[in-house]
Structure formats: structure tokens, C-alpha cells
Amino acid sequence: MTQINTLLKELGLTSNQTYIYLHLAKKGKAKAGEMIKSLGFHRNIVYGTLEELIEKRLVSSSKENGVLMYKISDPQRLVAEQEDRVRLAKDAVGELTKYAKEVTSQQIIIYE
């Protein structure tokens, strides 16, 4: 496995997402059919993975001559995605801290 594959996986991409993302990075843009042939993936895997990458805003699609073409978005999007995750984690910590304060502020008094 190459260094870029490892880096992308550590950033949260699955193996399929990594292969397709790198394929598009090297080609510039490609049709799904081209990716199916060159990567040897089943069509459902390619289309599903492309949709996942589009949801992450790492890949975009556009029609050219009636055919969908896919290309990677600005690679800086990888940084933005991680910043979004950090922001979400901080929000979660803030909420969890509220719960912890509620639990520690409760008192139990036992009368005999």
C-alpha cells in the first residue's frame, strides 16, 4: 500500500473510496464505466462509492455530451472535512460535559 493510500484511509476514506478517489485524481475526470473497467470493481460498488464521495463533497459530477463525468473536488476539501469533524466532536464534548455536570450535581440524602 502506498503512502497516499494510507493517508487517505487514516483520514476516514474506505478502501473503495480511496481507489476511486485516486483514480480520479490521476485521470482528471472519468466516466463510471471507465472506472468499472480499469479498477475491476462491480458497477454497484463504483456507483455507490461515487455517491459516498459526492456526499462528502470530495467528488463532483457534471454531464458532458449527455454522459456523467466525475472528477475530484479541490483536495483542500479533505482538510475542510476534518475541520468539520473536529467541530462536531467539540460540540459533542460540550453536550457530554453538560450531562456530566447534571450527574455530579445531584445529591442523594438517606435518612434513617
Side-chain angles (χ1 to χ4, degrees), residues 35-58:
M35 289 182 266
I36 292 166
K37 287 179 186 173
S38 69
L39 295 173
F41 290 168
H42 189 275
R43 67 184 313 276
N44 291 344
I45 291 172
V46 170
Y47 282 106
T49 303
L50 284 168
E51 286 303 314
E52 293 165 1
L53 290 169
I54 289 170
E55 284 177 26
K56 290 180 180 238
R57 295 184 288 173
L58 297 175

Side-chain angles (χ1 to χ4, degrees), residues 91-108:
D91 290 347
V93 167
E95 290 297 315
L96 291 169
T97 302
K98 290 178 191 174
Y99 290 144
K101 285 180 183 176
E102 289 175 10
V103 170
T104 57
S105 67
Q106 295 177 356
Q107 291 183 345
I108 300 175

